[in-house]
Amino acid sequence: MSEFIYNTSSINISAGFIAEKMPEANGAYVKVYLYVLYLASKGEVKDDSEIAKTLGLLESDVVNAYEYWIEKGEMSKSGKTYYIGAKNNAPAPQKPQKDVKNLITENKTLSDLVLIAQETLGRTLSDTDMQTIYWFYDELGFSPEVICMLLEYCVSKDKRNMKYIEKVAISWHKNGITTMSAAERYMQEERDKNSYFFTLRKLFGIDNRNLSKTEELYLKSWQEDFSMSAEMVALAYEYCIIQTNKLSFPYMNAIIKRWHEKGITTVAGAEEDHENFRSQNGQSFDKELSIYKDSTDYDYENIEKRMQEKYDN
């Protein structure tokens, strides 16, 4: 279970939160923040699944909300405990302290790196910022070129906060993205994925919120595991709407999985398969997948866990 600790004696929502943080936040994230604030004030402990059920959200939406507010500085985490409020008592990870300024000054390559970093981020680096960048170089083993690419990548996502950049750097290191070629390959894959996601979000009419974690995993699976083009997913969406009159990721997944298993990779091939099935079986392909229509007991949580475990391993 997750524990929430509120750092003041009464429930207060700051004017800054309402005026600056709330307007740009996903409505579901605001619901989660206010609810866990309430739990903290009562000293109650609840599972993420309980919170999701109470608020009428997916469990992944609750977890995504935590991550969002942590990034915005309104929450922090230590173990399974979440600290709520801009100021918190959570212990911060400590890096070894070095005389970084002198180390950078004495090394022209690093001095140039700092100048480039300041230009990329559009601000003067603080001592802490410089320590973090030196840590990328000294501890993570990133070359100055890879560090520059890391900064450019984060800025392209409109993320200039050094805590966020550090989080991405650790992820890159964990996944072996430590050379220029690996970084360039990763960034190209990200551009391809973003284009794929953008095309399908527009098709699905999802333009007023972020994709949930489960929805992202479906799209990632269709693109990476099944190698289905956006056009193929669009056809699966068309068949889904014809049969169910609504967007259903499990329904589309059943169609796409069948195409993958049969080695069908083109729209023409999928349409031909659809017609052949109808003529040979005297029924529509839609009927074969009717178990997904209007399903209210489809286990979203289990499929989410299976897909998440797959991509975490």
Side-chain angles (χ1 to χ4, degrees):
M1 290 190 177
S2 297
E3 179 182 3
F4 302 92
I5 298 177
Y6 186 56
N7 298 301
T8 64
S9 59
S10 61
I11 302 177
N12 294 310
I13 304 297
S14 70
F17 177 88
I18 296 172
E20 299 170 13
K21 301 293 180 70
M22 190 175 70
E24 64 181 16
N26 183 306
Y29 296 172
V30 175
K31 286 176 65 176
V32 172
Y33 183 87
L34 294 177
Y35 187 66
V36 299
L37 192 61
Y38 163 78
L39 293 178
S41 72
K42 297 291 186 182
E44 295 185 19
V45 177
K46 284 194 175 184
D47 285 331
D48 296 341
S49 59
E50 294 180 86
I51 295 173
K53 184 176 180 181
T54 299
L55 299 178
L57 301 171
L58 291 174
E59 186 173 343
S60 60
D61 291 331
V62 174
V63 175
N64 288 342
Y66 299 159
E67 294 177 354
Y68 176 84
W69 291 120
I70 288 172
E71 180 184 329
K72 294 296 182 181
E74 294 297 325
M75 292 176 65
S76 61
K77 183 180 180 182
S78 178
K80 290 188 176 181
T81 300
Y82 291 88
Y83 294 82
I84 306 170
K87 295 181 179 179
N88 62 73
N89 301 316
Q94 298 296 315
K95 300 187 184 70
Q97 297 299 308
K98 299 181 180 182
D99 189 357
V100 171
K101 275 192 172 181
N102 282 340
L103 288 171
I104 290 175
T105 301
E106 294 168 1
N107 186 318
K108 186 177 186 305
T109 299
L110 294 178
S111 298
D112 290 343
L113 173 61
V114 168
L115 292 175
I116 294 171
Q118 291 183 149
E119 183 178 346
T120 302
L121 296 175
R123 59 181 169 81
T124 301
L125 297 184
S126 67
D127 290 351
T128 302
D129 291 338
M130 285 191 278
Q131 283 189 342
T132 301
I133 286 181
Y134 184 80
W135 186 73
F136 297 160
Y137 172 80
D138 187 52
E139 296 293 332
L140 298 186
F142 287 0
S143 70
E145 293 78 14
V146 170
I147 294 172
C148 288
M149 189 165 287
L150 168 71
L151 297 175
E152 290 171 2
Y153 171 75
C154 293
V155 169
S156 73
K157 298 172 73 67
D158 199 25
K159 304 291 186 180
R160 291 175 168 79
N161 180 278
M162 195 57 72
K163 286 293 183 184
Y164 177 88
I165 296 171
E166 179 183 337
K167 182 178 178 181
V168 174
I170 292 171
S171 175
W172 279 24
H173 185 266
K174 178 181 176 181
N175 290 286
I177 307 170
T178 58
T179 64
M180 280 292 289
S181 58
E184 288 171 349
R185 183 167 58 252
Y186 172 78
M187 291 180 72
Q188 183 59 52
E189 290 172 354
E190 282 290 294
R191 285 191 288 270
D192 292 343
K193 184 182 79 171
N194 289 339
S195 175
Y196 187 86
F197 277 33
F198 176 80
T199 299
L200 293 179
R201 280 185 61 183
K202 186 175 181 180
L203 173 69
F204 300 155
I206 302 176
D207 53 9
N208 61 345
R209 64 171 176 82
N210 294 325
L211 292 171
S212 71
K213 193 66 175 179
T214 302
E215 292 168 341
E216 284 188 11
L217 288 171
Y218 272 121
L219 266 62
K220 187 174 182 180
S221 176
W222 297 340
Q223 183 183 35
E224 297 181 7
D225 297 339
F226 297 156
S227 299
M228 290 293 163
S229 66
E231 290 77 14
M232 291 290 285
V233 177
L235 182 61
Y237 173 69
E238 180 182 332
Y239 290 161
C240 172
I241 293 299
I242 290 173
Q243 183 65 17
T244 69
N245 293 315
K246 65 182 180 180
L247 171 64
S248 170
F249 282 85
Y251 192 99
M252 286 189 293
N253 191 63
I255 297 173
I256 291 169
K257 182 179 179 181
R258 181 176 184 275
W259 287 341
H260 175 71
E261 290 172 348
K262 296 193 67 176
I264 298 171
T265 59
T266 65
V267 169
E271 291 175 337
E272 181 180 357
D273 176 72
H274 182 75
E275 292 303 318
N276 288 340
F277 185 91
R278 296 183 63 178
S279 61
Q280 292 173 10
N281 293 275
Q283 57 185 347
S284 70
F285 171 58
D286 300 325
K287 187 173 182 180
E288 182 186 15
L289 300 173
S290 61
I291 58 171
Y292 296 100
K293 182 181 180 182
D294 298 327
S295 174
T296 57
D297 59 354
Y298 193 85
D299 196 341
Y300 279 89
E301 289 188 6
N302 276 344
I303 193 169
E304 180 176 353
K305 287 179 181 177
R306 290 197 304 272
M307 295 179 81
Q308 185 64 65
E309 287 171 0
K310 180 176 184 179
Y311 286 107
D312 285 345
N313 294 331

